[in-house]
Amino acid sequence: MTATRTSPPAKSTEKAKTQDGKPDKRFKVLDITMKRNQYRQDALIEILHKAQEAFGFLEEDVLSYIAHKLQLPLSQVYGVATFYHLFSLKPSGAHTCVVCLGTACYVKGGGDILKAVEEDVGIAAGETTEDGQVSIVTARCIGACGIAPAVVYDGKVAGQQTPEQTCDRIHGWKQADS
Amino acid sequence: MERAELLEQATVAKQAQKRIRIHCCTSTGCQASQSLDVKKQLDNAIKTHNLGDTVEAVGVGCMGFCGQGPMVEIEDADSPAEKKHYQKVTPEQAESIIGSLNGSGEADAIEGDPNHPFFSRQLLIVREHSGRIDPERIDEYLAVGGYQALHHAIYEMSPADVVQEITQSGLRGRGGAGYPTGLKWATVAKMPPGQKYIICNADEGDPGAFMDRSVLESDPHRILEGMAIAGYAVGATQGYIYVRAEYPLAITRLQKAIQQAKRKHCLGAQIFDSPVDFTIEIRVGAGAFVCGEETALIASVEGGRGNPRPRPPYPAVSGLHGCPTLINNVETLGNISPIIRNGAEWFAGIGTERSKGTKIFSLTGKIRNNGLIEVPMGITLREIVEEMGGGVPGANNVKAIQTGGPSGGCIPDRELDTPVDYDSLRELGSMMGSGGMVVMDDDTSMVQVAQFYMEFCRGETCGKCIPCRAGTVQMYQLLTKLLDEKATKRDLDRLKELCGMVQATSLCGLGQTAPNPVLSTLHYFEQEYLDLLQPDPITVAAANRG
Ligand code: FES
């Protein structure tokens, strides 16, 4: 018996090109990563990380593109993408503010920082403002407990934060962009 | 490669170092406080003062005193015992620190006391080079004798000898449960030859703990060397390091270290021209606490959802891709090369009867001296918290110490004189865990702490088994009800019942230990729970009727 491989959904290959017919660079990044991992199925998490880095989040097309290339059922790729906290299936804002809620940060007031920011920005943790500018995220210990409470602004860790400092930083982003 | 050649390389690397080394911490904590700028300014000042021949600024790993970062330390090869410590150094102060070296003026920076108990009570084995070498340069590791233990193991010892040595040292797993490391190695070694794997568990999930992160960022080669020795001992040729994605700096440094080690033939095919092969790959996690559990971690390394599975079979028998797999935690592996270097007896002479060696703790929370400490097992909690940590800042007192993260518990202040080891902590209803120690003061509500951990477990359960998935949610709701002052005695009874049930029937360690924070706070601080209770409406009604 010969195994028949279903052809990929037209969408996912087309997606590799932008509207003006040029290849989409982001898919290229993805291709390189997959190749470097020899299309190995056990590298799925690495590849999803790279995809998220390139696209900002994991949209369905990207997931099915990866599934096709690694010859994995889409359900499995989807299952993995939804299992881990760091993968996001929704677009995130231009800026992200990650408030650590690990134990060390919690006892030193991480919760108060989060509360203040949520009130100030008007969204809850895990959400993005309507204008797509700011996302608020929580983390469970980022390993900087020595300088708790810690907040990560666009990937940069800052220690010994206060609710005021964090709100100020976010205001700074908003002003810079408007 | 001959041993002489390796020694030669070490000497060359050592000689290339300048007489005065200025260690500047470049780990995550200090980088967050601009330590990279400090380093840059130190470099500049060395240039402007024309001190380049004798002085160098070295970007090093963590010195431990993270709460006071950025840390800068001056070490003079002519008088190595006299070190100078500066704390909370700003880039502007760099100039005066360098200036003070040749006597032109005083350093304008906060000088710390290297003889403070925070440092003097420590015993460094795993962290011996941490904060003293540049983690991004293999030469620095070679200069302090790096990879000599691996060389010795391969050429001087049989695999069985290595396993024997580790067994005799009495080393126990530093990841949490404290399983004897030698026994684990022996089990994998005994499996028939064929594909076997080594996995380094660097998925430090316990909130409030960062020792693994620090070791990886400060001395990555030590872990690679430990893994390679393990590989030789049990007959594995492939290793994986499973690191949290939350630790980007550790990942970059590991990647660099692996490349450098390969180039020097300390890793890869035919290590030191011997027939021994060992390659290491990095696998990055994606944020799931349950992946710290062995079987879940394996599922994740395979690229799947981090679902645990029942044991047995244990990973030592059937692990990654169904092959025998040795999983050790970062700190455990960090102990391997010193044991091979100094012998099992030396290691077994440190610590207590049943817990040998040292343990790294991350001392955080409401405490004056925040940071990482490595202490011999058997030191008391009081020595750690009061002497080294300097106690709670302000007028408050220590109320409890949380150890072991979400799987551990709270130890009340009256037990502070307990010597710290695996068994004594367990007797107190807590556990060693990976070594997080969060100090809580009088202001902390213990019921809230229990709720905090239950929220954590509720969010982190993988959902595969019902007791854990549903039980943690129920317990969280009961705790919330208590805190909202709506709960009655019956709710409290139900909470206790649930704790026992979840503990006894969950599939993996996460669920089995999830009730611990509740149980331990209930045990030591029951009054706080009772104070929140409301009269039971049914009994009240009955009483009125009667
Ligand atoms: S608890 Fe926030 S960094 Fe560890």
Side-chain angles (χ1 to χ4, degrees), chain A residues 100 102-105 141-145 150, chain B residues 207-208:
Chain A
C100 178
T103 320
C105 291
C141 189
I142 49 166
C145 326

mmCIF file with all atom_site columns, all heavy atoms in Angstrom, chain A residues 100 102-105 141-145 150, chain B residues 207-208, ligand 1:
data_model
loop_
_atom_site.group_PDB
_atom_site.id
_atom_site.type_symbol
_atom_site.label_atom_id
_atom_site.label_alt_id
_atom_site.label_comp_id
_atom_site.label_asym_id
_atom_site.label_entity_id
_atom_site.label_seq_id
_atom_site.pdbx_PDB_ins_code
_atom_site.Cartn_x
_atom_site.Cartn_y
_atom_site.Cartn_z
_atom_site.occupancy
_atom_site.B_iso_or_equiv
_atom_site.pdbx_formal_charge
_atom_site.auth_seq_id
_atom_site.auth_comp_id
_atom_site.auth_asym_id
_atom_site.auth_atom_id
_atom_site.pdbx_PDB_model_num
ATOM   1  N  N   . CYS A 1 100 ? 5.383  40.341 37.017 1.00 0.00 ? 100 CYS A N   1
ATOM   2  C  CA  . CYS A 1 100 ? 5.665  39.044 37.618 1.00 0.00 ? 100 CYS A CA  1
ATOM   3  C  C   . CYS A 1 100 ? 4.784  38.829 38.838 1.00 0.00 ? 100 CYS A C   1
ATOM   4  O  O   . CYS A 1 100 ? 4.670  39.698 39.697 1.00 0.00 ? 100 CYS A O   1
ATOM   5  C  CB  . CYS A 1 100 ? 7.117  38.915 38.029 1.00 0.00 ? 100 CYS A CB  1
ATOM   6  S  SG  . CYS A 1 100 ? 7.429  37.317 38.816 1.00 0.00 ? 100 CYS A SG  1
ATOM   7  N  N   . GLY A 1 102 ? 5.149  35.867 40.619 1.00 0.00 ? 102 GLY A N   1
ATOM   8  C  CA  . GLY A 1 102 ? 5.751  34.758 41.356 1.00 0.00 ? 102 GLY A CA  1
ATOM   9  C  C   . GLY A 1 102 ? 5.720  35.084 42.837 1.00 0.00 ? 102 GLY A C   1
ATOM   10 O  O   . GLY A 1 102 ? 5.416  36.207 43.232 1.00 0.00 ? 102 GLY A O   1
ATOM   11 N  N   . THR A 1 103 ? 6.078  34.099 43.655 1.00 0.00 ? 103 THR A N   1
ATOM   12 C  CA  . THR A 1 103 ? 5.930  34.293 45.099 1.00 0.00 ? 103 THR A CA  1
ATOM   13 C  C   . THR A 1 103 ? 6.709  35.492 45.628 1.00 0.00 ? 103 THR A C   1
ATOM   14 O  O   . THR A 1 103 ? 6.189  36.292 46.401 1.00 0.00 ? 103 THR A O   1
ATOM   15 C  CB  . THR A 1 103 ? 6.407  33.051 45.851 1.00 0.00 ? 103 THR A CB  1
ATOM   16 O  OG1 . THR A 1 103 ? 5.982  31.913 45.125 1.00 0.00 ? 103 THR A OG1 1
ATOM   17 C  CG2 . THR A 1 103 ? 5.825  33.013 47.230 1.00 0.00 ? 103 THR A CG2 1
ATOM   18 N  N   . ALA A 1 104 ? 7.975  35.600 45.217 1.00 0.00 ? 104 ALA A N   1
ATOM   19 C  CA  . ALA A 1 104 ? 8.807  36.672 45.752 1.00 0.00 ? 104 ALA A CA  1
ATOM   20 C  C   . ALA A 1 104 ? 8.217  38.031 45.374 1.00 0.00 ? 104 ALA A C   1
ATOM   21 O  O   . ALA A 1 104 ? 8.149  38.950 46.193 1.00 0.00 ? 104 ALA A O   1
ATOM   22 C  CB  . ALA A 1 104 ? 10.227 36.543 45.240 1.00 0.00 ? 104 ALA A CB  1
ATOM   23 N  N   . CYS A 1 105 ? 7.791  38.148 44.136 1.00 0.00 ? 105 CYS A N   1
ATOM   24 C  CA  . CYS A 1 105 ? 7.215  39.412 43.691 1.00 0.00 ? 105 CYS A CA  1
ATOM   25 C  C   . CYS A 1 105 ? 5.858  39.639 44.352 1.00 0.00 ? 105 CYS A C   1
ATOM   26 O  O   . CYS A 1 105 ? 5.509  40.762 44.703 1.00 0.00 ? 105 CYS A O   1
ATOM   27 C  CB  . CYS A 1 105 ? 7.078  39.421 42.177 1.00 0.00 ? 105 CYS A CB  1
ATOM   28 S  SG  . CYS A 1 105 ? 8.684  39.471 41.360 1.00 0.00 ? 105 CYS A SG  1
ATOM   29 N  N   . CYS A 1 141 ? 7.047  34.091 37.926 1.00 0.00 ? 141 CYS A N   1
ATOM   30 C  CA  . CYS A 1 141 ? 8.486  34.112 38.204 1.00 0.00 ? 141 CYS A CA  1
ATOM   31 C  C   . CYS A 1 141 ? 9.322  34.113 36.937 1.00 0.00 ? 141 CYS A C   1
ATOM   32 O  O   . CYS A 1 141 ? 9.306  33.193 36.145 1.00 0.00 ? 141 CYS A O   1
ATOM   33 C  CB  . CYS A 1 141 ? 8.927  32.955 39.076 1.00 0.00 ? 141 CYS A CB  1
ATOM   34 S  SG  . CYS A 1 141 ? 10.631 33.173 39.610 1.00 0.00 ? 141 CYS A SG  1
ATOM   35 N  N   . ILE A 1 142 ? 10.033 35.187 36.783 1.00 0.00 ? 142 ILE A N   1
ATOM   36 C  CA  . ILE A 1 142 ? 10.936 35.294 35.648 1.00 0.00 ? 142 ILE A CA  1
ATOM   37 C  C   . ILE A 1 142 ? 12.379 35.110 36.115 1.00 0.00 ? 142 ILE A C   1
ATOM   38 O  O   . ILE A 1 142 ? 13.315 35.364 35.390 1.00 0.00 ? 142 ILE A O   1
ATOM   39 C  CB  . ILE A 1 142 ? 10.768 36.649 34.954 1.00 0.00 ? 142 ILE A CB  1
ATOM   40 C  CG1 . ILE A 1 142 ? 10.816 37.763 35.999 1.00 0.00 ? 142 ILE A CG1 1
ATOM   41 C  CG2 . ILE A 1 142 ? 9.456  36.711 34.215 1.00 0.00 ? 142 ILE A CG2 1
ATOM   42 C  CD1 . ILE A 1 142 ? 11.004 39.116 35.401 1.00 0.00 ? 142 ILE A CD1 1
ATOM   43 N  N   . GLY A 1 143 ? 12.534 34.674 37.345 1.00 0.00 ? 143 GLY A N   1
ATOM   44 C  CA  . GLY A 1 143 ? 13.875 34.376 37.843 1.00 0.00 ? 143 GLY A CA  1
ATOM   45 C  C   . GLY A 1 143 ? 14.691 35.593 38.234 1.00 0.00 ? 143 GLY A C   1
ATOM   46 O  O   . GLY A 1 143 ? 15.902 35.545 38.280 1.00 0.00 ? 143 GLY A O   1
ATOM   47 N  N   . ALA A 1 144 ? 14.028 36.690 38.515 1.00 0.00 ? 144 ALA A N   1
ATOM   48 C  CA  . ALA A 1 144 ? 14.738 37.885 38.966 1.00 0.00 ? 144 ALA A CA  1
ATOM   49 C  C   . ALA A 1 144 ? 14.274 38.222 40.377 1.00 0.00 ? 144 ALA A C   1
ATOM   50 O  O   . ALA A 1 144 ? 14.202 39.387 40.760 1.00 0.00 ? 144 ALA A O   1
ATOM   51 C  CB  . ALA A 1 144 ? 14.488 39.050 38.015 1.00 0.00 ? 144 ALA A CB  1
ATOM   52 N  N   . CYS A 1 145 ? 13.993 37.194 41.151 1.00 0.00 ? 145 CYS A N   1
ATOM   53 C  CA  . CYS A 1 145 ? 13.375 37.369 42.463 1.00 0.00 ? 145 CYS A CA  1
ATOM   54 C  C   . CYS A 1 145 ? 14.207 38.238 43.395 1.00 0.00 ? 145 CYS A C   1
ATOM   55 O  O   . CYS A 1 145 ? 13.681 38.843 44.320 1.00 0.00 ? 145 CYS A O   1
ATOM   56 C  CB  . CYS A 1 145 ? 13.144 36.025 43.126 1.00 0.00 ? 145 CYS A CB  1
ATOM   57 S  SG  . CYS A 1 145 ? 12.730 34.707 41.994 1.00 0.00 ? 145 CYS A SG  1
ATOM   58 N  N   . ALA A 1 150 ? 9.406  42.498 40.140 1.00 0.00 ? 150 ALA A N   1
ATOM   59 C  CA  . ALA A 1 150 ? 9.969  42.713 38.819 1.00 0.00 ? 150 ALA A CA  1
ATOM   60 C  C   . ALA A 1 150 ? 8.878  42.876 37.759 1.00 0.00 ? 150 ALA A C   1
ATOM   61 O  O   . ALA A 1 150 ? 7.817  42.262 37.848 1.00 0.00 ? 150 ALA A O   1
ATOM   62 C  CB  . ALA A 1 150 ? 10.862 41.543 38.440 1.00 0.00 ? 150 ALA A CB  1
ATOM   63 N  N   . PRO B 2 207 ? 8.033  29.402 41.583 1.00 0.00 ? 207 PRO B N   1
ATOM   64 C  CA  . PRO B 2 207 ? 8.141  30.852 41.671 1.00 0.00 ? 207 PRO B CA  1
ATOM   65 C  C   . PRO B 2 207 ? 8.903  31.222 42.937 1.00 0.00 ? 207 PRO B C   1
ATOM   66 O  O   . PRO B 2 207 ? 8.669  30.657 43.991 1.00 0.00 ? 207 PRO B O   1
ATOM   67 C  CB  . PRO B 2 207 ? 6.696  31.322 41.740 1.00 0.00 ? 207 PRO B CB  1
ATOM   68 C  CG  . PRO B 2 207 ? 5.915  30.144 42.181 1.00 0.00 ? 207 PRO B CG  1
ATOM   69 C  CD  . PRO B 2 207 ? 6.660  28.928 41.745 1.00 0.00 ? 207 PRO B CD  1
ATOM   70 N  N   . GLY B 2 208 ? 9.814  32.142 42.830 1.00 0.00 ? 208 GLY B N   1
ATOM   71 C  CA  . GLY B 2 208 ? 10.607 32.533 43.984 1.00 0.00 ? 208 GLY B CA  1
ATOM   72 C  C   . GLY B 2 208 ? 11.954 31.849 44.013 1.00 0.00 ? 208 GLY B C   1
ATOM   73 O  O   . GLY B 2 208 ? 12.715 32.028 44.948 1.00 0.00 ? 208 GLY B O   1
HETATM 74 S  S1  . FES C 3 .   ? 8.915  35.854 41.807 1.00 0.00 ? 1   FES C S1  1
HETATM 75 FE FE1 . FES C 3 .   ? 9.046  37.470 40.393 1.00 0.00 ? 1   FES C FE1 1
HETATM 76 S  S2  . FES C 3 .   ? 10.935 37.095 39.513 1.00 0.00 ? 1   FES C S2  1
HETATM 77 FE FE2 . FES C 3 .   ? 10.740 35.376 40.810 1.00 0.00 ? 1   FES C FE2 1
#
